[in-house]
């Protein structure tokens, strides 16, 4: 099943991440997120935006990675995985999220929280996939070395999920 909305015009019409998307997640932040979900993680884990490896290096085995700057474009990925955990490129967030939903049963993204409800189309895509299982509030982006002061969180989307959304905090 494809989660790419038909006729959808993405905000970044090129479909290619921009230089501003290359924001490396501090290792401490990646470890906090992975440790939060560690008891739920099983199967193959994928970091589709490896960058310097702060998520990938700390994911449990078996693990895979993609990194466009190293010649592996996640948007061309077709191998199913059980978990995706990463800090996605924000300029192509909708396109990236749709690809995550195509290949993984569980998706955890570190994002500015306003990305969750940025459009009705995006909301429909999330709930067509399943739903939001957990929102982990992590303070502001500045706390994690990002050039934004907006609240950020690790959002756990799960395929076929229809229960309540758990809210927790790592601050």
């Amino acid at each position: 099943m494809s989660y790419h909305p038909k006729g959808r015009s993405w905000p970044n019409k090129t479909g290619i991440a921009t230089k501003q998307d290359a924001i490396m997640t501090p290792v401490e932040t990646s470890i906090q997120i992975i440790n939060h979900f560690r008891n739920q993680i099983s199967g193959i884990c994928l970091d589709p935006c490896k960058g310097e490896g702060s998520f990938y290096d700390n994911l449990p085995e078996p693990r895979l990675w993609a990194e466009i700057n190293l010649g592996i474009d996640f948007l061309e990925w077709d191998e199913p995985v059980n978990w995706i955990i990463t800090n996605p490129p924000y300029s192509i967030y909708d396109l990236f999220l749709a690809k995550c939903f195509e290949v993984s049963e569980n998706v955890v993204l570190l994002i500015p929280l306003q990305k969750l409800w940025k459009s009705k189309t995006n909301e429909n895509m999330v709930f067509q996939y399943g739903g939001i299982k957990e929102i982990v509030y992590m303070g502001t982006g500045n706390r994690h070395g990002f050039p934004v002061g907006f609240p950020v969180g690790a959002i756990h989307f799960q395929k076929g999920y229809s229960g309540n959304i758990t809210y927790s905090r790592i601050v």
Side-chain angles (χ1 to χ4, degrees), residues 47-123:
D47 180 354
C49 303
K50 182 182 175 202
E52 295 173 354
S54 74
F55 280 103
Y56 175 76
D57 292 345
N58 294 289
L59 287 171
E61 295 281 355
R63 63 185 183 205
L64 303 169
W65 60 269
E67 173 53 55
I68 196 164
N69 293 324
L70 297 174
I72 301 174
D73 185 349
F74 172 64
L75 296 179
E76 296 175 5
W77 189 276
D78 60 1
E79 183 179 339
V81 297
N82 304 100
W83 284 82
I84 286 177
I85 302 178
T86 200
N87 174 11
Y90 301 147
S91 71
I92 57 168
Y93 173 75
D94 296 348
L95 180 61
F96 189 89
L97 183 64
K99 186 62 177 182
C100 287
F101 289 171
E102 286 180 17
V103 300
S104 187
E105 299 169 11
N106 293 277
V107 176
V108 176
L109 301 178
L110 175 61
I111 59 172
L113 292 177
Q114 78 268 19
K115 289 276 186 196
L116 277 177
W117 299 280
K118 68 187 232 28
S119 71
K120 185 67 175 167
T121 302
N122 199 48
E123 179 185 3

